[in-house]
Amino acid sequence: MLVDLDYFFAQLEEIRDPSIKDKPVVVCVYSGRTPDSGAVSTANYKAREYSVKSGIPIYQAKKKLENVDAVFLPVDDVYYEEASQKIMDLLRKHANSFEQVGIDEAFLDVTQKTDCDFQKARSYAQKIKDDLKARQGLTCSIGVGPNKLVAKIAADSQKPDGLTVVTPEQITSFLAPMPVSRLIGVGIKTTEKMKTLGINTVEDLAKYDVQKLVSTFGKNIGTYFHYAALGIDNGPVQEKGEVESVSRISTLKQNTDDMNLITEKADQLCAEIQAEILHQGKKFKTITIIAIMTDLTTKSKSKTLDNPTGDLEMLKTTVKELFQEYLQESTLEVRRVGVKISNFSKEQKTQKQITSFFNKQIKEDDI
Ligand code: DCP
Ligand code: CA
């Protein structure tokens, strides 16, 4: 399934200040050149009724909402990023495997959890929606399908607060009437190009000769369009950066250089990080601390251990040492703290060791 939070930044602003909930809310990236220079980041659904949407200039949004009691707010990246982390941690727990694809979107493989039963998957998706609402006060839209491509289109098809299930039998009838622009990777230019070929709907695309698609769009993209139109996608749900790093970052209640306050927050981040890697059976060698200072400069300091570890106490102790070293060098106070672990090695279980040994043998023999 694909879980996509509704009007994400604007919904978070409504949570912070519920009094704006019934008004059009427009979240803006102000460029600062003139008071109204910049673009709309997103808007709540009330504002969308006035055709205010992501990407349009702020002055245009103001014009559309002239004489309306609307709320214009600047983006608050720190707040959104922290909320996103909490949401992703919550969603991850509901999945057999998990892949975040944006600040407010993630794929969840729930095949095993729902016994590959679409009826059960619907109830499971509803449970996730209820959980998100109860814990974070947020609504989302969920698409359920036999693969990522269909799940994404399903989620997009009903917003906000949607829940759309597409079974394998329903793929053709679900996709056929849609405009091709609903497929991921079909933007404005491609839509225009397809139009000249007489392709308007997904059904048109599915019926179009694949060789002609390849000669027009190239082998990889042409073939992708053909399979996408048929609702075929074999991509796995895969945690991104699985081999790279896991990090957490958080804002302190107040700017400080007090080691106790920093350690308290850092310990919490270490526990979150350790919980995340625990089920993946990973060990790490490199530990990095990140400190964002009151002047918004970012500093980091790392230590690589002699042996890989998965131990929380070791992580906490090293993080504390690194912060202590860092604070002795710095004169500024800290605003946000972060912890990152990297340089992973997989915890080898006996069976795994044997399998990887065999694989290695086969590869070497082949060579
Ligand atoms: N965003 C942005 N500029 C864009 C598009 C998006 O700054 N051109 C930001 C603001 C959004 C967030 O990314 O809140 C997530 O993008 P979505 O496309 O998922 O849009 P929303 O969550 O706002 O709305 P929807 O309810 O359509 O998902
Ligand atoms: Ca969204």
Side-chain angles (χ1 to χ4, degrees), residues 72 96 109 203 208 307 351:
F72 285 78
N96 290 120
D109 186 341
E203 184 176 18
Y208 200 81
N307 296 303
Q351 205 181 345

Side-chain angles (χ1 to χ4, degrees), residues 282-287 303-311 314-315 318 342-345:
K282 277 180 183 164
K283 291 189 166 194
F284 50 93
K285 269 178 91 170
T286 303
I287 298 164
K303 181 174 177 182
T304 298
L305 308 168
D306 292 335
N307 296 303
T309 184
D311 184 46
M314 174 68 113
L315 175 62
T318 313
S342 54
N343 209 347
F344 289 119
S345 59

Side-chain angles (χ1 to χ4, degrees), residues 266-285:
D267 280 356
Q268 196 185 322
L269 300 178
C270 290
E272 284 179 28
I273 287 176
Q274 210 249 358
E276 182 170 336
I277 60 153
L278 202 59
H279 72 281
Q280 297 172 3
K282 277 180 183 164
K283 291 189 166 194
F284 50 93
K285 269 178 91 170

Side-chain angles (χ1 to χ4, degrees), residues 4-12 27 29 39-45 48 53-56 75 77 80 102-105 139 141 152 156 159-161:
D4 178 8
L5 276 294
D6 299 322
Y7 62 105
F8 189 49
F9 295 179
Q11 200 181 173
L12 288 173
V27 180
V29 181
V40 170
S41 170
T42 195
N44 67 358
Y45 279 75
R48 293 185 199 191
K53 55 181 182 185
S54 295
I56 69 166
V75 284
D77 293 336
Y80 308 147
I103 192 164
D104 75 335
E105 275 182 54
T139 67
S141 297
K152 166 73 179 157
D156 286 346
K159 280 178 168 193
D161 208 7

Side-chain angles (χ1 to χ4, degrees), residues 3 5-6 19 22 24 37 49 80 115 140 154 164-165 195 203 213 229-230 260 270 280 312 321 345-346:
V3 181
L5 276 294
D6 299 322
S19 75
D22 297 323
S37 318
E49 286 170 19
Y80 308 147
D115 305 323
C140 66
T164 310
V165 181
K195 211 174 188 172
E203 184 176 18
L213 284 179
L230 296 170
N260 289 330
C270 290
Q280 297 172 3
L312 178 60
E321 280 168 14
S345 59
K346 272 261 182 202

